Amino acid sequence: MEMINLTIDGIPVRVAKGATVMEAAKTIGIDIPALCYLKDVNEVGACRICVVEVERARSLQASCVLPAAEGMVVHTESPSVIAARKEILRLILDNHPNDCLTCDKAGECKLQEYAYRYDVKFREHDGDRKTARIDTSNPYIYRDDSKCILCGRCVSICGQIQERSILGFGNRGFTTHIIADNEKALGESACVSCGRCISVCPVGALLDNRIIGKARAWEAQKEEVKCKRCDYGCDFELLKKDDKVVGVRAKAPGGGRPLCLKGKLSLDLLYTNSPSAPLIKKDGEYTEVTWAEALEMEDLLKKLGQSNNL
Ligand code: SF4
Ligand code: SF4
Ligand code: SF4
């Protein structure tokens, strides 16, 4: 395997040819911030918060898409890099609700983490604000467009991994926003409620409706589990508070194949102490149904309590 030698923040690094500067930095414990980057799913270099300074380059470079090159000398926290990151954060926060006190994403929100790291406050400039659009039409997914930073992760994972392509970018410029099936409410779209988009959203724009208000990020212990409903064994996380499971969520980005709602509901039923009643679409409307009907497994459900093989 061909290897590349470069220097990052004064430290010699050796990585396989094809690795990006961000990946090379990670091998020596340097965590370059990223909002839009999602390995193998959304490698678009769009948010620019991952910029680094490369000696002899004319401008700052997005490290998530920059291949490491022989002899490259990289600075990940130089004054110009820090200034650029602060400005990107300012521009996002100028048009973002000051809601960290009550936001369910607080504690695992990337925007909050980087604002703290680079000491950028909410709304340092005055100007027009986006109109907030809350979409609760899907009982499993809470969408708050005012918190969306247009990173595109949800669009990519829904299209490339979930193979549904429900989500996309609507409009251009200041009014750009994420749309579902060409401006339908999510509950009226062909969304299968897999929850994958929630698991990759770096901010509180997409939340699991059934977990909201049950645990702050820093209170929740996470335990990885595999769905045993079929042979694929998709990856999920149990969220626990005080040793009780408060929710089940798809692991981001998971095993690289589409997830089904039935798998998530099976785990809900198996692990959650008082699982909320399942809702499935009938004639275009979400309707409360029995667990047997939701999971299409009357026979197996009869054995629940004797079997752990859901
Ligand atoms: S999305 Fe992040 S930055 Fe925005 S209010 Fe929620 S925690 Fe705060
Ligand atoms: S829940 Fe799944 S199908 Fe629905 S928009 Fe999100 S990723 Fe796409
Ligand atoms: S909803 Fe979340 S994942 Fe989707 S573009 Fe907005 S911030 Fe990114």
Side-chain angles (χ1 to χ4, degrees):
M1 182 188 297
E2 193 178 339
M3 301 300 284
I4 299 286
N5 297 289
L6 68 162
T7 306
I8 302 180
D9 293 346
I11 303 168
V13 188
R14 190 171 161 79
V15 288
K17 188 173 181 187
T20 62
V21 168
M22 180 182 277
E23 287 166 341
K26 203 170 176 185
T27 65
I28 51 169
I30 295 175
D31 171 32
I32 296 178
L35 289 167
C36 68
Y37 173 78
L38 195 60
K39 186 162 174 54
D40 297 332
V41 179
N42 201 47
E43 298 186 4
V44 292
C47 75
R48 313 297 293 178
I49 201 161
C50 69
V51 288
V52 293
E53 191 173 338
V54 179
E55 288 189 11
R56 291 196 298 278
R58 283 196 225 158
S59 58
L60 298 179
Q61 308 282 310
S63 63
C64 69
V65 288
L66 179 67
E70 188 64 34
M72 199 180 234
V73 180
V74 179
H75 303 281
T76 69
E77 292 277 336
S78 67
S80 60
V81 166
I82 291 172
R85 289 183 187 156
K86 277 176 172 270
E87 193 54 26
I88 291 164
L89 290 167
R90 268 186 213 114
L91 290 170
I92 297 174
L93 289 172
D94 277 350
N95 200 355
H96 192 92
N98 185 348
D99 193 25
C100 294
L101 287 180
T102 55
C103 182
D104 271 69
K105 194 72 176 182
E108 56 179 14
C109 171
K110 285 290 171 194
L111 181 56
Q112 190 187 49
E113 178 186 332
Y114 299 147
Y116 181 78
R117 190 193 291 186
Y118 294 104
D119 189 25
V120 178
K121 313 285 182 216
F122 270 106
R123 300 191 169 179
E124 294 187 359
H125 308 115
D126 248 346
D128 286 347
R129 309 270 187 242
K130 282 195 285 198
T131 313
R133 274 186 289 205
I134 309 275
D135 179 358
T136 55
S137 58
N138 179 315
Y140 298 100
I141 301 172
Y142 181 92
R143 292 176 74 203
D144 183 348
D145 195 40
S146 66
K147 291 180 186 169
C148 174
I149 58 169
L150 298 173
C151 69
R153 285 179 173 200
C154 58
V155 175
S156 293
I157 203 150
C158 186
Q160 292 175 35
I161 307 291
Q162 194 59 23
E163 299 171 6
R164 299 298 293 186
S165 298
I166 308 295
L167 304 173
F169 290 94
N171 291 4
R172 282 287 179 272
F174 187 73
T175 57
T176 307
H177 59 283
I178 298 298
I179 55 172
D181 277 353
N182 206 10
E183 294 288 13
K184 285 186 182 160
L186 193 60
E188 288 158 18
S189 73
C191 166
V192 292
S193 307
C194 68
R196 259 224 158 108
C197 50
I198 301 173
S199 63
V200 297
C201 182
V203 294
L206 291 170
L207 295 170
D208 188 325
N209 214 4
R210 305 189 4 144
I211 306 179
I212 288 177
K214 292 189 179 161
R216 305 310 299 266
W218 54 85
E219 300 171 314
Q221 304 101 46
K222 288 149 199 131
E223 184 186 323
E224 293 185 16
V225 286
K226 279 195 182 294
C227 174
K228 296 177 189 162
R229 199 181 145 87
C230 78
D231 291 342
Y232 285 115
C234 293
D235 299 314
F236 288 85
E237 261 176 356
L238 301 180
L239 298 181
K240 291 181 172 178
K241 184 180 174 186
D242 302 329
D243 286 328
K244 287 192 183 134
V245 177
V246 292
V248 177
R249 68 179 180 187
K251 197 156 180 325
R257 61 167 304 279
L259 289 179
C260 64
L261 177 63
K262 288 192 188 72
K264 184 169 181 295
L265 286 175
S266 298
L267 294 169
D268 249 349
L269 181 62
L270 190 62
Y271 290 105
T272 309
N273 299 315
S274 35
S276 319
L279 294 142
I280 60 169
K281 259 190 182 173
K282 285 186 173 177
D283 302 324
E285 297 286 323
Y286 284 97
T287 313
E288 204 170 297
V289 295
T290 63
W291 283 99
E293 193 179 347
L295 301 177
E296 293 171 352
M297 50 194 307
E298 299 269 2
D299 291 346
L300 196 50
L301 276 170
K302 281 181 193 150
K303 295 177 195 159
L304 192 66
Q306 301 150 32
S307 165
N308 250 10
N309 292 329
L310 271 176

